[in-house]
């Protein structure tokens, strides 16, 4: 699909309904936003005095020599069982053992199948801070439980929600908002209601492609409105859905509605925005949004049915008591 041939007319709070012509192209972004691991820590109880009895766990700073012993010399990640070693005692992780073709990266000797059981036992006695400590996570975990937590840590960086290209950028919400605006040239709007018109000169040319991403700022939060065309089985469809720029638990405190129609017909969708923790493809493939079949879309467009002209309106509201399941809209001004 030729993205340059798509005309999007948008209006939201504070904007009139005069046509604003916007032409969107892909803007690939290849930079990543990295966050270094914590370099110092302290025991969970804050007591630095040594106990008379042997401790069951040792809280240790990642910058110490013991942590360096547990660092793979190839990938520099922390090593987890099985930890391999060569005949000279050099260690590396099991993932990198296959990458170096069974040769020690330090002395070039053949590795064989020697396990470094002593180092694995040392690791069992350690407690380390989450690697996202610098982003606000205060947790400290046993060495072997650290990875499981970090995979789901609420303080871990977010991936770029832009769906039009494989973007590797990661960071916090404020970083991603600036990244979407400056690098992907995404439209930014303030307000919790919107009124968009999507125009395509040849709607029969439907391919898997993103047409538009718009970011809305309301209730002090950011939301991503997606609209695109793709093949659902053998049938081309159009889909609109909303994602929340934050975690899933907070996303559940908001609701949104989408409406499209014309010539006496109307389709309405109401739902909860998905967190950008869920990938764009995951949300799309779950069909969690407003789906419009092409024949119905052309009917809404009217005329000779040779041009797509869809007007999608909607609003976002915050649930007053989401735990109770109440759906009382609390619209922003």
């Amino acid at each position: 699909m030729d993205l340059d041939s798509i005309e999007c007319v948008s209006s939201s709070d504070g904007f009139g309904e005069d046509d604003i012509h916007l032409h969107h192209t892909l803007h690939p972004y290849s930079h990543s936003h990295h966050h270094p691991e914590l370099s110092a820590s302290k025991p969970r109880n804050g007591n630095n005095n040594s106990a008379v009895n042997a401790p069951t766990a040792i809280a240790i700073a990642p910058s110490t020599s013991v942590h360096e012993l547990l660092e793979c010399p190839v990938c520099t990640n922390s090593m987890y069982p099985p930890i391999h070693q060569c005949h000279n005692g050099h260690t590396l992780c099991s993932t990198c053992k296959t990458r170096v073709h069974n040769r020690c990266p330090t002395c070039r000797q053949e590795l064989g199948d020697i396990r470094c059981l002593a180092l694995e036992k040392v690791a069992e006695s350690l407690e380390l801070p989450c690697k996202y400590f610098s982003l606000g996570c205060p947790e400290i975990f046993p060495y072997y439980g650290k990875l499981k937590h970090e995979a789901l840590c609420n303080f871990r960086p977010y991936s770029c929600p832009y769906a039009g290209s494989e973007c590797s950028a990661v960071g916090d919400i404020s970083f991603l908002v600036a990244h979407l605006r400056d690098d992907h040239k995404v439209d930014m709007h303030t307000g919790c209601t919107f009124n968009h018109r999507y125009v395509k000169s040849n709607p029969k040319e439907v391919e898997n492609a993103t047409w538009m991403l718009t970011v809305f700022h309301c209730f002090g939060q950011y939301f991503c409105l997606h609209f695109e065309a793709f093949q659902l089985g053998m049938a081309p469809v159009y889909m609109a859905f909303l994602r929340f720029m934050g975690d899933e638990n907070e996303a559940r405190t908001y609701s949104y509605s989408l409406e499209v129609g014309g010539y006496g017909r109307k389709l309405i969708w109401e739902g909860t925005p998905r967190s950008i923790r869920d990938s764009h493809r995951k949300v799309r493939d779950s069909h969690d949004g407003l789906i419009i079949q092409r024949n119905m879309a052309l009917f809404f467009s009217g005329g000779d049915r040779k041009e797509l002209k869809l007007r999608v309106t909607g609003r976002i509201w915050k649930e007053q008591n989401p735990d109770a399941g109440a759906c009382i809209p609390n619209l922003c001004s």
Side-chain angles (χ1 to χ4, degrees):
M1 180 184 300
D2 182 5
L3 298 183
D4 285 332
S5 66
I6 299 165
E7 175 193 70
C8 169
V9 180
S10 169
S11 66
S12 63
D13 296 28
F15 291 86
E17 292 192 1
D18 294 337
D19 288 354
I20 305 172
H21 299 281
L22 303 173
H23 299 279
H24 295 274
T25 57
L26 299 181
H27 295 272
Y29 184 83
S30 59
H31 300 290
S32 297
H33 191 66
H34 299 286
H35 299 275
E37 287 200 27
L38 174 69
S39 60
S41 177
K42 62 181 180 180
R44 191 199 312 264
N45 59 11
N47 187 354
N48 292 323
N49 297 326
S50 58
V52 175
N53 297 326
T56 58
I58 304 169
I60 186 168
S63 60
T64 64
S65 59
V66 178
H67 181 267
E68 291 173 356
L69 287 175
L70 290 165
E71 184 179 277
C72 175
V74 179
C75 65
T76 70
N77 293 326
S78 297
M79 294 187 290
Y80 295 86
I83 299 175
H84 297 276
Q85 70 174 29
C86 71
H87 291 281
N88 293 323
H90 304 125
T91 57
L92 80 164
C93 70
S94 56
T95 301
C96 291
K97 182 174 181 287
T98 57
R99 294 172 56 189
V100 298
H101 306 292
N102 206 35
R103 290 284 177 182
C104 175
T106 304
C107 65
R108 309 306 301 168
Q109 295 294 315
E110 186 174 352
L111 286 169
D113 292 313
I114 305 174
R115 289 272 295 275
C116 187
L117 299 178
L119 195 56
E120 293 178 7
K121 286 292 184 181
V122 169
E124 289 180 0
S125 67
L126 301 181
E127 288 190 341
L128 297 173
C130 172
K131 74 175 182 178
Y132 301 121
F133 178 90
S134 61
L135 299 180
C137 182
E139 301 293 338
I140 296 176
F141 293 90
Y143 187 83
Y144 291 131
K146 184 169 172 282
L147 277 183
K148 183 177 181 180
H149 161 79
E150 289 172 353
L152 300 173
C153 178
N154 288 335
F155 292 91
R156 71 191 188 277
Y158 295 90
S159 298
C160 174
Y162 192 76
S165 64
E166 294 295 331
C167 181
S168 60
V170 295
D172 58 18
I173 299 303
S174 59
F175 167 81
L176 289 179
V177 169
H179 163 67
L180 289 170
R181 181 190 64 235
D182 300 335
D183 296 288
H184 293 300
K185 311 304 179 186
V186 169
D187 289 332
M188 302 284 172
H189 294 280
T190 299
C192 58
T193 63
F194 44 88
N195 185 346
H196 285 231
R197 187 162 65 94
Y198 302 95
V199 179
K200 181 72 171 69
S201 59
N202 188 359
K204 294 184 178 181
E205 296 178 357
V206 176
E207 300 174 359
N208 292 333
T210 297
W211 278 17
M212 181 181 179
L213 170 64
T214 306
V215 173
F216 290 90
H217 183 227
C218 59
F219 302 108
Q221 306 290 344
Y222 290 92
F223 300 82
C224 295
L225 176 64
H226 297 264
F227 186 86
E228 63 180 74
F230 64 99
Q231 295 287 142
L232 183 59
M234 297 298 293
V237 297
Y238 308 95
M239 183 175 179
F241 57 91
L242 195 73
R243 286 201 292 168
F244 173 73
M245 296 188 71
D247 283 319
E248 181 180 355
N249 289 337
E250 195 168 4
R252 293 196 189 104
T253 65
Y254 297 92
S255 295
Y256 75 103
S257 66
L258 296 171
E259 181 178 312
V260 62
Y263 297 91
R265 305 291 188 272
K266 183 185 295 186
L267 289 177
I268 299 176
W269 163 269
E270 284 195 7
T272 301
R274 298 281 286 271
S275 166
I276 59 172
R277 294 288 191 201
D278 290 333
S279 69
H280 162 269
R281 180 176 293 276
K282 181 179 180 179
V283 178
R284 192 195 73 179
D285 291 349
S286 67
H287 308 156
D288 192 1
L290 175 66
I291 296 180
I292 313 162
Q293 301 290 336
R294 185 174 67 181
N295 286 339
M296 182 61 71
L298 292 175
F299 177 83
F300 290 153
S301 299
D304 54 10
R305 299 167 65 93
K306 292 182 179 180
E307 185 177 40
L308 182 72
K309 295 179 181 179
L310 287 179
R311 183 174 293 279
V312 178
T313 61
R315 64 186 179 95
I316 305 167
W317 66 90
K318 186 175 178 62
E319 300 291 352
Q320 290 186 344
N321 189 3
D323 293 335
C327 295
I328 305 174
N330 177 21
L331 294 179
C332 62
S333 58

